[in-house]
Amino acid sequence: MDIIHIGFQPVRKAPFPNGPSVEILAEQLPIEGRKIAAAHVHLPPGSMMPPHAHGESEAIVTPLNGQVVLASDDQHEVLEPGMIAMIAIGEKVRVENATSEPVSLLAVFAPTSFITALASWPITDADNSTP
């Protein structure tokens, strides 16, 4: 069993304007062969993640606080705490915080390959307690 605390990992900022920041919570290392990864995603008011797929990874996304719009093709859903979205391999999604409050998401990926893309984002100088 591994216990990982949110707010203690480096915060990485999306390399595009008005994007989210992420804290990678669990990835392949230190346990070789791990098949699941997680990230804490922070979307400031008005920010978004443009349409993207997760490579070889399936994803489960759940808001920890606030509301976020998740869009895939013609489907648009407002997610809030207590709801999860399951995203298939190859499915393109867009995530947007259209509210005036920050939104925090937990995103889980299996296998872990999408975490490699997030790990390439530059580390911010921000306080890690609130990415």
Side-chain angles (χ1 to χ4, degrees):
M1 173 180 359
D2 291 323
I3 305 297
I4 300 155
H5 295 271
I6 293 174
F8 292 93
Q9 307 304 313
V11 174
R12 298 175 179 280
K13 180 73 174 126
F16 48 84
N18 201 33
S21 59
V22 299
E23 177 188 4
I24 298 172
L25 302 175
E27 55 185 307
Q28 277 178 278
L29 301 176
I31 300 172
E32 189 172 325
R34 179 172 279 161
K35 294 178 175 44
I36 193 166
H40 179 227
V41 181
H42 179 77
L43 290 139
S47 66
M48 68 172 297
M49 183 84 164
H52 65 283
H54 299 109
E56 300 172 354
S57 300
E58 290 183 275
I60 295 176
V61 176
T62 186
L64 299 175
N65 68 290
Q67 294 181 339
V68 66
V69 175
L70 182 67
S72 174
D73 295 326
D74 292 335
Q75 183 179 3
H76 292 75
E77 298 291 337
V78 176
L79 295 179
E80 54 190 34
M83 299 172 75
I84 65 168
M86 300 179 73
I87 302 165
I89 293 171
E91 183 177 4
K92 283 191 173 183
V93 294
R94 178 179 56 82
V95 182
E96 181 180 359
N97 178 0
T99 73
S100 61
E101 299 294 323
V103 175
S104 181
L105 308 171
L106 177 64
V108 179
F109 305 98
T112 63
S113 56
F114 188 67
I115 287 292
T116 304
L118 297 177
S120 71
W121 291 4
I123 294 175
T124 69
D125 294 330
D127 174 7
N128 285 358
S129 62
T130 52

